[in-house]
Structures are given as structure tokens and as C-alpha cells.
Amino acid sequence: MEIREIAPSGDESLARALLAVQHAAYAVEAAIIGDDRIPPLHETLDEVRAAPLRWLGAFQEHRLIGAIGWSQDDSVVDIDRLVVDPAAHRRGAGRALVGAVLASAGHRRVVVATGRDNRPARGLYEGLGFVRTGEVEVIPGLWITQYAHPPTAVQSAKDAVGASDRADRTGPLPAVSGWDEALAPRQRALLRRWLPGATLVRDHSWGLVATRVIEVSCAGSRFIVKAGGADDRHIERELHAHRTWLRPWTDRGRAPMLVHGSAEDQLLVTRYLPGELVLGTGHADQSDTYRQAGELLALLHAQSAVVDDDYERRENERSLAWLDRPHRIAASTVARLRAEIADWPTPPATLVPTHGDWQPRNWLVHDGVVSIIDFGRAALRPALTDFARLAVQDFRRDPRLEAAFLDGYGADPREADAWYRTLVRAAIGTAAWAHQVGDESFEAQGHRMLAEVLAAT
């Protein structure tokens, strides 16, 4: 991904691309907040070109995938809009664009506003150190939340800027005062004991959930710090995975090594693993990436196996519980799902160590070698569950990737009836969870998954 200055006022083709991204981005926000009275959603080409803003664009292989526009004076930088193509969500474009503006702000205060109910945008700004300063009803019934980024926090944003989600860095890093202030007091104290004098390199936090993912430098080495919220169970799962299942990968240098961890304090530290995320790069379309991923998954699954007579019943209840929570699955579909799940068999299931989110966003590639990160969903499950994300995303768009993956993995574990139940459960969980955290594009994927798997029966 490349971040560079753009001038839509002098380039009509670029302005049209910007307007398309802007309309698509604000259409998603309108759906999230339930209100389409967002002025940039209705702007024309001439209005975009005439806007008195400075612009940065994010480009993926020469295609505009996001942009940020702002105005400034001697004391304040005012971010007017941040837009990212929904097809490029969760690739770090928004974070990189805001980080670039923060890095250029110097000693000036940076301000921004977003829809009060736009949780993904609020999570992004708060993850970058913005502080909420108030709420304003700009139109009757339409509320925005205002944020400011004080100048004293700008240095951490400078360190957060990069062309990719896993940019390599060399050379000494400046000390950053208070970069860990977002952590709980016990986490902060423990981290300062584990890594005394650590300095910030980058904040990799996603923004939609409470877990913080921070890259730091200490005594000439780099580490990844993960800190969970009070109700977060992902850190506990990740620690268990590191201590129990990851040796086939860590012995080969294909997963990060655990350095420190405390399940009680929801905190862990691993050694930094070099590489760039496969998601959003050309590696996501290369067969060898999937062949290596298949080989690595087979190593994880082969470690142990247990038979669980109650697994299918528990998973059925879990899916029904998702349907009891807030979601936007159609009532007729919910009725069909409840009836089907009630009639599903509950045979004994063979469980193996699984990753739980096996897909390119959790794969790194460095010098052509694939490695694995993020074990917060690791658990004992049927092997076929680790095929679910790939099947509805990557295998769906290119069957050659599925063939390469199976070439690396070995025999396909997807027995038809169990596979159908797995896909339905994954679709329900995706649609309901994404609605819960406000991830509109991921929620749409969940609805598509449901429609496709139910139509195939």
C-alpha cells in the first residue's frame, strides 16, 4: 500500500475515483448509524473537486482504496473526512492515512468528528490516541462525536505510520512517554517490569475490539504486546495455544515465540516475527502461499485428537444463542435456521488443535516463507472448522488456491453433512458478531454466507 498526496481539483479521473470511494464509504456509515443525511454522501463531482482541502490517497497496485482530506492553520489540523473503499476494509488504509496526517501535524492539535453510532470509526480514532471532547447534534436526530489529538501524543502517531501493516524498521527509536497509558494499571506495571524502558514502534490494534496489539522495542529487540480488556478471553486462549500447541511452528520459526504471559492480567509478550500480512498483497493470490498454509495447518492438526460426544450439541446451542442476540438476519431465515438446528444430529466429533481464524489476515510472509500469528481463537475443534473462512472467501474466488491448499494439507476432512453444519454455524456467528461490533462489511459477508449455504441445500 502506498500513501501519497493527491490533487482531485486538477485531475478529473482521480476525482471520479475519489468520489466513488467516498460515496461507497459513507453509504456504509449511513447503514451503521441508520441515517443517510451525511453531506459527503451526496456530494457531486464538482463539489469534491472544489472542496478546500488537502488530500492524501491510499493506493493498492495503483488503485485508489482510501483518502483523507483536511484543512489546517497554525494551531489546528481539522480532518474533514476519511474514506476507505468497503472492499479494502481491515487492510490498515484508514489507520495509515490518519497516522500520516498526525505525523505531519507537528505541534498542532488535530481534531476530527464522526457519527456517534459509528463504532468502527470511533474505535480507529481512539486506538490512535484521540480523546473524545464532546457530542453535537448537527441536524435534528443526527449526532456526531468530536475528538482531538493533543500535540503531546503526536510522536506515537509518527511511529505508527507505515506503508503496510507489518512494515520493517531499522535504526534507533525515540522514547515515547505514556504510550502504554491505554492499558489497565496492572498491565502497565507488569509490562514495565517485563520490558523496562520499552519504546513504541507501532500500534497494530484493530479498533473494533478491546484487545490492544502494540509493537515495541526494548534493549535492541522488538516484541509484540497483546493486552485484553476485562471481559476478554482471547488472551487466555492465546497463552494456552503458545504453551500447548505451537511448538511444531515455533521450532521452524513459523510462529512468534512467547516471552512473557499472564492470563490473570490478560497480557502477553511475544518476539516480533518479521514479515508482511498476506491479506491485501499479491501473496494472497499465489498458490504457493496456500500450499505452505496447508502444510502448516496439517502440523497443528496432527498433534493430538480426542473424541467428544457432546461437541455437536454444544455448537447447536451456541448457534441458537447467537440467534437470540441482536442481529439483522431476516425473521423468515431465523425461523428456518431454528427448525433445521433442532433436527440436526449430534454424533460424536473428533477434535484437534485448531487456529480458529485460518485465513490470509493471520498469515505473514517474509522472503517467500509463510508464518502464522494471532491465536486468540485457538481451541479443540473438528479439523474442518479451520477450512471455513478460506472456503467462503479465498477458495470461492479462485479454486486453484483450494487445490494448492489441499496439496499442502493432505486428505480433505470436509465430510458433507458436518461441513454443511459448520458453514451454517460460521455464517450465523459472522453475521451476529459483526453486527454486535459494528463491522458492516463483515456483517454483509455473514449474510452472503448464509444465503449461499442455505441456497445450496
Side-chain angles (χ1 to χ4, degrees):
M1 182 171 58
E2 178 187 6
I3 305 295
R4 65 173 185 261
E5 290 188 33
I6 59 175
S9 60
D11 186 332
E12 182 174 341
S13 177
L14 177 64
R16 290 187 182 279
L18 172 59
L19 184 65
V21 171
Q22 177 171 301
H23 282 173
Y26 281 110
V28 170
E29 178 168 6
I32 291 173
I33 68 176
D35 196 322
D36 66 357
R37 296 175 299 167
I38 305 172
L41 177 60
H42 307 287
E43 280 188 347
T44 66
L45 179 64
D46 289 340
E47 288 171 329
V48 167
R49 298 184 71 182
L53 300 173
R54 299 183 62 180
W55 293 92
L56 287 175
F59 292 84
Q60 190 77 54
E61 297 180 352
H62 307 294
R63 183 175 70 87
L64 184 72
I65 62 170
I68 189 167
W70 75 96
S71 59
Q72 63 186 41
D73 57 28
D74 292 340
S75 60
V76 176
V77 175
D78 186 347
I79 297 176
D80 181 83
R81 66 194 67 180
L82 171 68
V83 295
V84 176
D85 185 342
H89 278 180
R90 299 161 68 182
R91 298 184 188 177
R95 180 175 293 272
L97 288 164
V98 177
V101 171
L102 290 174
S104 68
H107 297 291
R108 291 172 294 188
R109 193 165 181 254
V110 182
V111 298
V112 70
T114 190
R116 184 177 65 181
D117 297 325
N118 190 346
R119 286 177 290 179
R122 293 185 62 178
L124 170 66
Y125 294 126
E126 291 168 9
L128 284 170
F130 281 82
V131 177
R132 188 172 68 87
T133 58
E135 293 183 350
V136 176
E137 189 176 20
V138 292
I139 303 172
L142 179 60
W143 287 82
I144 64 170
T145 299
Q146 299 170 312
Y147 287 95
H149 197 289
T152 55
V154 167
Q155 183 62 56
S156 64
K158 288 181 178 179
D159 291 326
V161 178
S164 71
D165 278 351
R166 301 287 300 190
D168 283 329
R169 293 177 179 270
T170 57
L173 294 164
V176 182
S177 174
W179 60 265
D180 57 355
E181 292 301 319
L183 306 184
R186 288 182 63 182
Q187 292 174 330
R188 188 161 59 247
L190 192 57
L191 184 57
R192 288 175 176 173
R193 187 165 77 244
W194 287 346
L195 300 177
T199 56
L200 176 70
V201 178
R202 280 195 80 196
D203 187 338
H204 297 278
S205 305
W206 186 12
L208 288 176
V209 293
T211 302
R212 299 297 301 273
V213 183
I214 306 167
E215 182 183 342
V216 303
S217 175
C218 181
S221 297
R222 280 193 287 178
F223 303 89
I224 295 294
V225 176
K226 286 193 174 182
D231 299 325
D232 190 335
R233 299 273 69 86
H234 287 183
I235 299 297
E236 185 175 354
R237 284 186 178 186
E238 186 146 3
L239 282 170
H240 178 75
H242 274 286
R243 292 165 173 163
T244 311
W245 296 324
L246 300 193
R247 181 128 187 215
W249 293 342
T250 55
D251 282 354
R252 295 167 171 80
R254 309 291 284 276
M257 292 285 296
L258 180 68
V259 181
H260 301 286
S262 170
E264 179 183 1
D265 296 296
Q266 296 292 301
L267 188 69
L268 65 84
V269 177
T270 62
R271 292 202 174 273
Y272 172 82
L273 195 64
E276 63 175 337
L277 286 178
V278 168
L279 183 67
T281 71
H283 299 289
D285 297 314
Q286 294 179 4
S287 294
D288 186 57
T289 301
Y290 292 81
R291 186 174 294 105
Q292 291 187 55
E295 292 169 350
L296 290 170
L297 188 61
L299 290 172
L300 179 69
H301 288 176
Q303 293 181 89
S304 63
V306 297
V307 175
D308 188 333
D309 293 334
D310 205 37
Y311 173 84
E312 289 284 341
R313 182 195 62 78
R314 293 197 308 272
E315 290 303 296
N316 290 349
E317 290 184 353
R318 179 183 174 88
S319 294
L320 292 171
W322 275 119
L323 293 175
D324 289 335
R325 300 176 187 176
H327 57 73
R328 292 191 282 197
I329 302 173
S332 58
T333 302
V334 171
R336 175 180 173 179
L337 290 169
R338 289 188 182 280
E340 281 201 16
I341 293 171
D343 287 340
W344 281 351
T346 56
T350 299
L351 311 186
V352 300
T354 63
H355 182 276
D357 194 15
W358 196 255
Q359 57 175 312
R361 79 176 186 183
N362 292 319
W363 305 344
L364 298 181
V365 63
H366 180 64
D367 291 339
V369 177
V370 174
S371 300
I372 309 304
I373 60 171
D374 196 357
F375 314 103
R377 298 195 71 251
L380 289 171
R381 302 182 185 91
L384 57 79
T385 59
D386 270 338
F387 284 61
R389 291 289 181 220
L390 294 172
V392 301
Q393 295 172 172
D394 305 275
F395 297 169
R396 179 177 180 267
R397 63 184 170 81
D398 189 346
R400 293 174 300 174
L401 303 179
E402 181 175 17
F405 186 83
L406 288 171
D407 184 49
Y409 181 84
D412 192 336
R414 292 174 289 178
E415 183 274 326
D417 289 342
W419 180 237
Y420 172 74
R421 296 193 297 270
T422 296
L423 290 179
V424 172
R425 290 168 182 151
I428 293 171
T430 297
W433 178 86
H435 176 69
Q436 177 179 303
V437 301
D439 190 336
E440 192 79 10
S441 61
F442 199 40
E443 182 184 6
Q445 177 177 306
H447 287 282
R448 173 179 62 76
M449 290 163 60
L450 266 177
E452 290 180 352
V453 68
L454 293 178
T457 59

